[in-house]
């Protein structure tokens, strides 16, 4: 078993937290993980991206040129990275900020999810990353939703543990929108 995902957006969307959460969840399930974060020098608004590789066996390199799955949170990332998804792969797109336009690849599955709207309905725009993680986990089965919930305790600072129930609701909302029947 091997899963790789490329998550991209702008600073402030929680891209690196999403990748870190997936890594901790995978380790909690006894899997091997590689997490490769990358971000611009800007504090907010600059490019932010990460690659996470989850495997039963050894993980060679965290660098993935053509990911099996991309989670794209903003237009710039979509324009730059959507075409890199490998044939047979999946591209999960935040349609709140991304206009897919005439992008058309019949060799990948495009999953449009209005992540910002879902996060706002749940009460906090900052949970857009949790919506994305839930959609990814449900679509791929790379980690369970239950393990993600447990991994929140490891990735969030203790002062933010009071937000775990809200984050779990966001993960579950993303999972429901992924078009998958994967469950907790």
């Amino acid at each position: 078993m091997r899963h790789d995902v490329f998550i991209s957006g702008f600073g402030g969307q929680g891209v690196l937290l999403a990748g870190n959460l997936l890594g901790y969840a995978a380790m909690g399930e006894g899997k091997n993980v590689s997490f490769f974060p990358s971000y611009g020098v800007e504090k907010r608004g600059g490019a932010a991206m990460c690659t996470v590789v989850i495997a039963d066996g050894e993980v060679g390199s965290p660098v993935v040129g053509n990911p099996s799955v991309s989670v794209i949170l903003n237009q710039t990332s979509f324009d730059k990275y959507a075409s890199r998804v490998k044939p047979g792969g999946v591209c999960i797109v935040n349609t709140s900020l991304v206009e897919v336009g005439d992008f058309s690849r019949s060799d990948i599955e495009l999953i449009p999810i209005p992540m910002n709207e879902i996060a706002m309905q749940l009460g906090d725009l900052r949970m857009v990353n949790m919506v994305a993680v839930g959609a990814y986990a449900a679509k791929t089965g790379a980690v369970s939703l239950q393990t993600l919930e447990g991994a929140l305790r490891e990735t969030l600072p203790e002062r933010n543990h009071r937000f775990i129930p809200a984050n779990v609701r966001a993960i579950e909302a993303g999972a429901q929108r992924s078009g998958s029947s994967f469950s907790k």
Side-chain angles (χ1 to χ4, degrees):
M1 181 280 304
R2 182 181 190 280
H3 294 277
D4 60 76
V5 60
F6 179 81
I7 306 170
S8 182
F10 55 77
Q13 287 184 301
V15 168
L16 302 184
L17 176 60
N20 203 18
L21 177 62
L22 286 171
Y24 273 98
M27 288 187 295
E29 293 181 359
K31 298 172 183 167
N32 295 316
V33 179
S34 167
F35 169 60
F36 185 65
S38 175
Y39 50 91
V41 296
E42 306 88 352
K43 290 235 183 227
R44 295 215 177 257
M49 63 208 78
C50 68
T51 303
V52 181
V53 179
I54 300 169
D56 285 334
E58 291 184 5
V59 176
S61 171
V63 178
V64 178
N66 298 99
S68 299
V69 180
S70 280
V71 177
I72 298 180
L73 303 180
N74 69 343
Q75 189 70 50
T76 302
S77 296
F78 182 79
D79 295 343
K80 190 171 182 180
Y81 301 115
S83 62
R84 293 188 185 181
V85 177
K86 76 166 128 182
V90 176
C91 188
I92 302 170
V93 180
N94 178 9
T95 55
S96 299
L97 299 179
V98 176
E99 177 59 47
V100 176
D102 60 357
F103 180 82
S104 154
R105 280 186 57 190
S106 60
D107 63 340
I108 66 168
E109 180 180 0
L110 187 73
I111 300 176
I113 301 174
M115 296 178 199
N116 285 41
E117 281 86 353
I118 293 168
M120 289 302 293
Q121 289 169 0
L122 293 169
D124 193 338
L125 180 59
R126 292 174 295 180
M127 291 190 294
V128 69
N129 59 341
M130 296 297 125
V131 174
V133 166
Y136 169 75
K139 182 63 185 174
T140 65
V143 294
S144 77
L145 299 181
Q146 186 175 15
T147 306
L148 283 169
E149 181 177 347
L152 282 167
R153 295 199 171 284
E154 297 181 61
T155 56
L156 293 176
E158 192 170 328
R159 69 181 182 276
N160 292 336
H161 282 194
R162 68 185 185 277
F163 300 119
I164 289 175
N167 281 284
V168 169
R169 286 192 298 277
I171 289 168
E172 290 171 348
Q176 291 171 0
R177 295 299 293 265
S178 72
S180 175
S181 60
F182 184 74
S183 64
K184 262 183 157 175

